[in-house]
Amino acid sequence: MARVPVDQAKVDACRAYAADVANDVQHFIDRHTTVGVERTVARAYGVDGADGEGTPLANVLVDRIHRAGHAGWGVSYFLGRALAEGAGSIQEAAESLAYSEAADVEPGRVSGAEARAALKEATAAAIARIDEARDQREAFKARFTPAPLPLKYVIVATGNIYDDALQAKAARYAGADIVAVIRATAQSLLDYVPEGPTTEGFGGTYATQENFRIIRRAADEISAETGNYLAQTNYSSGLCMSEIAWMAAVERLDMLLNDAMYGILFRDINMQRTFVDQYFSRRIVARSGIVINTGEDNYLTTADAVEKAHTVLASQFINEAFAKRAGLREEQMGLGHAFEINPWLEDSFLFEVSQAQLVRQIFDRHPVKWMPPTKFKTGDIFHSHVHDAMFNLAGIMTGQSIELLGMFSEAVHTPLLMDRYLSLKSAKYIFGAARHLGDEIGQWKPGGIVESRAVEVLDRAHELLEEVQRETIWDAIGRGAFGDVKRTRTGGKGYRGVVARHEAYVNPILDALEGTEAP
């Protein structure tokens, strides 16, 4: 594909500004934990089950410690102390600490070093569980010839996990490479993860560990049957971001929607809570080899895609910087952007191609995920299908990695199986018919629309990142720099679940993921 002009000095400056932004937040992250992080640690140590009302044991355990004012010590400290004092297992220790009125949740009696020592074998087992799941996934995947790019990504969302499994198989038969089970509406606002399989859900299906297992089994079955690998995706965001990352890692998911700022902007989750949770979730993701999908595409549903295109690029730099600090490789950073310019705008297609090519060049090692048009979809399904076709054409021209296929019924109803089939058929046609179109285009008109637009977007992203670096991301979000959405540092859901770490904080799981284990 013909390249657009990219000022490498400005790209380097953008990365430097983003690094400063991420470093500032990392100082906060390194001094804090959250109830979500601590529940994830408990789950990683094998704390399992729920009470008669469906409240997970991990929640009851961490909530009791938090109410006592000692979450800053880390749930690991209390579990390790119980083992050091004779508990028969971590599960036994968790149940006693959670449910027994006589159980002591005051720190003391043993040191942090003693608690860590008592958890040594359990910590090694938790990390080994991630590694074994990763190795199993990669060994199975290696049996299949990789699908050509862009990978065709579709969503299933019935509410019933067993129906989702059937629809995932049908999608693979129709040519899908990736299937995402979209989460039930507002699950990101739940401060717990439901237990077991679920058969009801509005707008999607609940993300639970058992549901992950059911879809993985179905995806493996249909991969073997068709001879083509079907990748599995879900959503690691919201108040249980890191818990879902853990579940996904051990159940062999391939991808997770995981963004540093999405929950802040679009679900009004406290920014301090989100930044801490995203770091721990990404440490798990980095170890597991999962590919994340970031959410910059959402900015263009709340802000104008022409005027605010540069905010997408700026956020991609910031998401990259956060991901690097959590240990992710570039090949795991599926940065997002979207085809959301008003289709009736003259030369809108050229603007879209320019942005897509610019992102592809700047993030050349990243599996960029491109999102379809949604904002300007109407009940006119025929025009909708054409709109999606233009999206597919731009994607194959510019070498995108992953394309979430648009549905012609987007503005009408939750897509039916036939809708999904027709979208896959259209994408297959366009990806084949225009497979080498980009290779045949050697140069854009010098100083023309495509080149000028790329220069403008990078220039404005550079200016925005300089501003954000100067004022900090906390204040930038506060003034609505991204998505035209304003949030405050102490506002939003989950703020009370953010806790300053005690100087004796114990978290051997995090230490192992960071490679900073105590001797």
Side-chain angles (χ1 to χ4, degrees), residues 262 265-267 294-309 311-312 336-342 352 370-377 387 404 410 482-485 487:
Y262 171 84
L265 300 173
F266 300 103
R267 292 294 180 267
T294 60
E296 286 85 4
D297 54 282
N298 292 280
Y299 299 174
L300 304 184
T301 63
T302 55
D304 183 78
V306 175
E307 289 300 315
K308 296 301 176 72
T311 67
V312 169
H337 63 138
F339 193 92
E340 291 286 19
I341 295 176
N342 184 341
E352 295 281 12
W370 208 18
M371 299 289 283
T374 59
K375 187 174 182 178
F376 292 97
K377 287 290 186 72
H387 200 172
L404 174 57
E410 177 75 37
F482 299 97
D484 287 346
V485 178
R487 304 296 185 200

Side-chain angles (χ1 to χ4, degrees), residues 267-284:
R267 292 294 180 267
D268 193 22
I269 295 172
N270 175 257
M271 65 174 80
Q272 295 182 139
R273 172 77 175 262
T274 298
F275 285 136
V276 176
D277 287 350
Q278 66 84 28
Y279 175 73
F280 191 51
S281 71
R282 288 180 173 186
R283 276 290 173 187
I284 295 168

Side-chain angles (χ1 to χ4, degrees), residues 249-268:
V250 299
E251 298 302 337
R252 298 186 291 120
L253 269 69
D254 299 273
M255 297 181 185
L256 282 173
L257 278 74
N258 180 283
D259 188 274
M261 296 189 287
Y262 171 84
I264 301 168
L265 300 173
F266 300 103
R267 292 294 180 267
D268 193 22

